[in-house]
Amino acid sequence: ITKEGYNMNKPNNRYDALTLALELAITAKTDDGAFRATSMAEEFASTMSKSEVERAKLEVKAKLNEATT
């Protein structure tokens, strides 16, 4: 499934779920969508190490920057 050029396949693990939730939180079209995605991202992040969360944030930031250039 593709949404605006992003691969929205079902995540295979919690790291992938976190990156998808972060991406959705940033790109959500509504405040409600952003809130729901942020809540999911926080839930996933709470079970991961700080370094994994930071790596996920950097990955999403790079992906979104690449998509806008």
Side-chain angles (χ1 to χ4, degrees):
I1 302 172
T2 301
K3 178 184 175 193
E4 297 177 19
Y6 298 109
N7 186 5
M8 295 293 189
N9 291 329
K10 183 177 178 181
N12 295 319
N13 53 52
R14 290 190 79 73
Y15 179 84
D16 290 344
L18 175 59
T19 58
L20 179 57
L22 289 169
E23 186 176 335
L24 291 172
I26 294 167
T27 61
K29 301 241 185 243
T30 65
D31 288 343
D32 181 58
F35 176 79
R36 291 172 46 204
T38 299
S39 296
M40 287 188 286
E42 289 173 347
E43 181 181 332
F44 298 132
S46 72
T47 65
M48 300 169 72
S49 71
K50 191 172 188 174
S51 64
E52 286 177 307
V53 173
E54 289 305 313
R55 183 169 56 103
K57 289 178 183 179
L58 290 172
E59 182 178 319
V60 171
K61 183 177 179 180
K63 180 179 181 180
L64 294 176
N65 284 339
E66 182 178 293
T68 59
T69 55

